């Protein structure tokens, strides 16, 4: 089996949106398929279901290929843009990346187009620029969050007690989904300090519409401002048993206070 896939706990709450597709893919890899082959099989199933749906649902437009298909010296993002194919290694990181392509095809396509446009205008160099930096942060580590204003405001202030203790009851109506594949990889072996970068989803937007909305929201000008809220992800109510204790959030090494002037 590709390295690490057998360690995934599909009952973890952060994997609930991914489980139906991802667990089946992991089982196919365990039976001898490569990660790319399992992803392409899942993609074929999703395309067949999309043809039967009304209205039609967006489906991933890329295929998944072995990392060996990426020519030496060619940028990964440029290869995806030109070939409509995602180089995929055997392991957790690329497994979760492919899973995100299957679940958020429009948003992933938009991120790839932003990367490709930046590469074409700036070239591939050591200095990536603010947009490419922000795209990388989002792609690797974003968590989508739909939550009441009072909680979002508290997270902005890093008022962890207000966000997670005082207003804990409001989290019952919140919707959260991790987008970043590096964050999902880290959560295979959870530890308290794992931090994600929150991206706010408008209240009232149905989860099924998140991908289409996100593909429009991810614009270069907005990303360059890096409107992320770094948040220790295991502080999210319902995601980690230990955070039921109020003093969980008093660990200043993890739940850091705002910087003072």
């Amino acid at each position: 089996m590709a390295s690490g896939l057998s360690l995934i706990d599909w009952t973890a709450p952060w994997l609930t949106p991914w489980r139906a597709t991802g667990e089946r893919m992991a089982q196919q890899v365990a039976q001898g398929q490569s990660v790319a082959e399992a992803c392409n099989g899942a993609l074929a199933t999703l395309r067949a279901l999309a043809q039967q749906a009304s209205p039609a649902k967006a489906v991933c437009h890329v295929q998944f290929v072995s990392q060996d298909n990426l020519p030496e010296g060619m940028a990964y993002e440029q290869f995806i843009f030109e070939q409509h194919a995602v180089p995929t290694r055997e392991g957790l990181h690329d497994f979760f990346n492919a899973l995100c392509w299957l679940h958020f095809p429009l948003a992933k396509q938009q991120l790839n187009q932003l990367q490709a446009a930046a590469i074409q205008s700036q070239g591939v160099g050591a200095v990536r620029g603010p947009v490419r930096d922000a795209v990388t942060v989002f792609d690797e580590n974003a968590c989508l969050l739909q939550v009441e204003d009072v909680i979002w405001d508290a997270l902005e202030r890093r008022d962890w007690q207000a966000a997670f203790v005082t207003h804990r009851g409001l989290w019952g109506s919140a919707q959260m989904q991790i987008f970043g594949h590096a964050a999902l990889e880290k959560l295979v072996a959870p530890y308290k300090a794992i931090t994600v970068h929150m991206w706010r989803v408008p209240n009232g937007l149905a989860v099924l519409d998140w991908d289409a909305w996100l593909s429009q929201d991810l614009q270069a000008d907005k990303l360059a401002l890096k409107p992320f809220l770094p948040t220790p992800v295991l502080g999210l109510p319902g995601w980690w048993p230990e955070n039921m204790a109020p003093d969980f959030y008093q660990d200043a090494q993890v739940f850091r206070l705002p910087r003072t002037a």
Side-chain angles (χ1 to χ4, degrees):
M1 188 180 213
S3 177
L5 268 65
S6 63
L7 302 175
I8 300 173
D9 176 9
W10 289 104
T11 67
W14 49 84
L15 289 178
T16 297
W18 309 95
R19 184 174 184 179
T21 302
E23 189 171 23
R24 189 180 312 114
M25 285 166 46
Q27 291 169 350
Q28 291 169 341
V29 174
Q31 294 167 1
Q33 292 189 15
S34 68
V35 171
E37 289 170 338
C39 292
N40 286 328
L43 178 56
T45 299
L46 291 173
R47 284 176 173 162
L49 292 173
Q51 290 177 352
Q52 302 170 15
S54 180
K57 185 179 178 181
V59 180
C60 181
H61 76 293
V62 300
Q63 293 288 322
F64 301 91
V65 298
S66 167
Q67 181 75 12
D68 295 338
N69 286 265
L70 180 63
E72 185 175 353
M74 185 173 190
Y76 168 84
E77 298 91 348
Q78 192 66 29
F79 180 87
I80 296 173
F81 181 76
E82 293 181 3
Q83 302 298 322
H84 305 294
V86 179
T88 305
R89 300 166 296 184
E90 302 300 305
L92 285 166
H93 193 81
D94 285 13
F95 174 83
F96 283 123
N97 181 50
L99 195 55
C100 193
W101 270 101
L102 296 175
H103 280 77
F104 288 94
L106 298 177
K108 289 288 279 188
Q109 181 179 3
Q110 171 66 1
L111 290 173
N112 178 244
Q113 289 175 343
L114 289 169
Q115 289 273 30
I119 289 171
Q120 289 172 356
S121 64
Q122 302 166 9
V124 180
V127 179
R128 297 172 63 89
V131 174
R132 287 191 70 198
D133 280 345
V135 167
T136 300
V137 169
F138 189 98
D139 198 29
E140 298 275 352
N141 214 46
C143 181
L144 307 176
L145 178 62
Q146 187 181 68
V147 74
E148 297 291 340
D149 290 347
V150 67
I151 294 178
W152 185 263
D153 293 344
L155 292 175
E156 283 189 315
R157 300 192 309 271
R158 294 190 182 184
D159 187 344
W160 310 114
Q161 288 293 312
F164 294 125
V165 180
T166 305
H167 302 300
R168 194 175 187 87
L170 296 178
W171 283 91
S173 62
Q175 296 283 350
M176 303 90 76
Q177 183 163 0
I178 293 179
F179 184 101
H181 52 282
L184 289 168
E185 180 185 17
K186 291 176 184 177
L187 282 164
V188 171
Y191 56 92
K192 188 175 181 179
I194 295 174
T195 296
V196 295
H197 288 70
M198 292 295 187
W199 188 273
R200 193 175 190 185
V201 178
N203 291 333
L205 185 68
V207 173
L208 291 176
D209 296 327
W210 283 18
D211 183 35
W213 168 81
L214 190 57
S215 69
Q216 298 299 313
D217 195 50
L218 290 169
Q219 299 298 321
D221 290 346
K222 182 174 181 177
L223 281 159
L225 298 174
K226 298 184 179 179
F228 307 113
L229 294 188
T231 306
V233 69
L234 293 182
L236 298 183
W239 275 25
W240 196 241
E242 294 178 20
N243 72 34
M244 294 182 68
D247 61 1
F248 181 85
Y249 302 101
Q250 294 175 6
D251 183 350
Q253 295 299 312
V254 175
F255 293 93
R256 299 183 178 183
L257 299 177
R259 294 176 181 172
T260 57

